[in-house]
Amino acid sequence: SAVGRGPEVPFRSEAYRISATARGKELRLTLSALDPAAAPAPQDLVFRFGMSGSFRLCPAADLPRHAHLRFLTRESPPRALCFVDPRRFGSWRLGDAWQPERGPCVVSEYQAFRENVLKNLDDRAFDKPICEALLNQKYFNGIGNYLRAEILYRSKIPPFEKARTVLEALKDQEQERRKKDPSLTLSKKVKLRQENPDLLELCHTVPMEVIMAEKQLFDPQHADNYAAFKNWLQCYLVPGMSSLRDHSGRTIWFQGEPGPMAPKGQRPRKTPHKTPHKKSPQLKADPEAPTLKVAPRAPKRRRRAAANPPKSEEMEEEKEEEADGPRKGRARGRRKATAAPALPEPEVPLSVRRSLRTSARRGKGAAPAV
């Protein structure tokens, strides 16, 4: 699109295929012509989705807003596979290389991901709270804000516990398990992990749950599917859970105590339970009740003028009082009133008295005696 920030894609072909490979939070598309002899070489694009990026297949005549890159089909009428990104945090770049600072994928490269974390626990990244370390894509490639809340909730780990403390304990448990029973078969190990998954295993299994149920959980076009995703969530945005902003400003949801490294000066906030709006009961008139006679109302314009003097006059009066000092004129007015004979005075609204005094100062006529 004309407003897209990504680079132009130097690939033109009448008939081509798109294939995709995912790794963590990145997706690589490969465009390859169906007739390699009469077409350009395959072209790779690597996408990052940001907070709102997604792909959508729709009629080419009815493109969604913010469709920044489009691949057209040859059918009639044609459709378009669009990269849609309303917030424009997403991006794409040419080539097949993954970002070098991203670690192994928590889903497709689980063993490499696990080893990469446990052998680098002396890194300063693990001096932070575990909830912040989980967003570090160098070690937890694929984990985002809602996933970290769900993982920590299931593992019963306070979000602001020190990351190194959590992971070193996990490393020690793994070594003890090997010493106790080195003859465990692979199937028994898998069964034990399914029954008592640790934090790193949950970093793999929780995203897998989402992937396996992707069609039901993630389809913004259907409200029922979004409701299924909300039902899947156990902690993130769930009523009754607590929330805090971490040191980088991201909100983490949790249950129980936040942990020793929680930001100072904050109090956990509870996610409120939404209650259905109840209409106020309508009172029915009693036919036997006596009727009351009500005095006729004053005209609307007159009531407004008495209760609310024009804004311009109020503003000018405030400016005058600021220029004259601390309400000297008002004090003089009160002294004169006390010298007069004591007569019962009717109550006059303050706004009316101010309006009358303003009119008197401007020479519009003396204020009437009250």
Side-chain angles (χ1 to χ4, degrees), residues 308-351:
N308 300 315
K311 288 186 179 179
S312 58
E313 289 188 9
E314 288 181 355
M315 292 173 66
E316 288 177 7
E317 184 179 356
E318 288 175 3
K319 288 179 183 177
E320 289 175 6
E321 287 182 358
E322 289 175 4
D324 294 342
R327 304 190 179 188
K328 294 178 182 178
R330 189 170 296 180
R332 285 197 297 271
R334 283 199 298 270
R335 284 198 296 271
K336 288 181 181 179
T338 54
L343 295 174
E345 297 181 357
E347 288 291 328
V348 180
L350 176 62
S351 57

Side-chain angles (χ1 to χ4, degrees), residues 24-247:
K25 286 193 171 184
E26 293 183 294
L27 179 75
R28 181 169 62 209
L29 298 188
T30 301
L31 316 179
S32 53
L34 296 182
D35 184 7
Q43 175 67 60
D44 291 305
L45 307 170
V46 177
F47 286 81
R48 294 176 60 187
F49 292 89
M51 294 181 70
S52 61
S54 65
F55 276 97
R56 196 176 306 172
L57 186 63
C58 57
D62 188 21
L63 294 176
R65 293 184 64 190
H66 310 290
H68 299 304
L69 192 62
R70 304 181 283 268
F71 304 94
L72 301 178
T73 66
R74 297 187 67 188
E75 60 193 336
S76 182
R79 290 186 293 170
L81 178 66
C82 306
F83 177 64
V84 182
D85 186 17
R87 295 190 181 185
R88 302 190 191 184
F89 291 160
S91 64
W92 68 86
R93 62 185 185 278
L94 305 178
D96 62 349
W98 306 111
Q99 278 189 311
E101 66 270 18
R102 289 181 178 268
C105 176
V106 297
V107 171
S108 60
E109 303 167 299
Y110 170 66
Q111 286 300 331
F113 147 71
R114 187 180 183 92
E115 292 171 6
N116 184 46
V117 172
L118 294 179
K119 75 179 182 182
N120 289 294
L121 291 181
D122 56 345
D123 193 317
R124 293 177 61 185
F126 299 106
D127 290 337
K128 296 183 177 182
I130 186 62
C131 67
E132 296 176 21
L134 283 172
L135 295 182
N136 189 332
Q137 300 301 296
K138 181 179 178 181
Y139 296 107
F140 297 90
N141 186 13
I143 302 300
N145 201 25
Y146 83 89
L147 284 173
R148 69 169 176 172
E150 296 298 315
I151 290 165
L152 291 172
Y153 172 76
R154 298 190 191 191
S155 61
K156 297 181 174 61
I157 296 174
F160 292 96
E161 188 67 58
K162 191 173 184 178
R164 185 176 293 108
T165 303
V166 173
L167 295 168
E168 281 182 345
L170 186 154
K171 188 176 182 180
D172 294 340
Q173 290 173 6
E174 188 173 88
Q175 291 175 350
E176 288 178 7
R177 191 185 302 171
R178 288 177 182 174
K179 289 178 183 178
K180 286 181 180 178
D181 197 349
S183 62
L184 279 176
T185 62
L186 179 60
S187 59
K188 287 184 178 180
K189 288 180 180 179
V190 171
K191 186 178 179 181
L192 284 172
R193 287 179 177 178
Q194 288 176 346
E195 292 173 352
N196 299 295
D198 60 35
L199 177 71
L200 297 181
E201 288 162 350
L202 288 170
C203 287
H204 171 73
T205 57
V206 174
M208 284 298 297
E209 288 180 16
V210 179
I211 293 170
M212 297 303 291
E214 184 176 359
K215 291 184 180 180
Q216 287 79 24
L217 296 180
F218 292 104
D219 188 351
Q221 299 300 315
H222 298 87
D224 292 343
N225 291 350
Y226 181 67
F229 171 63
K230 288 181 69 176
N231 291 334
W232 174 83
L233 294 170
Q234 298 180 28
C235 180
Y236 181 79
L237 291 175
V238 173
M241 295 294 165
S242 301
S243 65
L244 277 175
R245 288 189 180 276
D246 63 20
H247 295 90

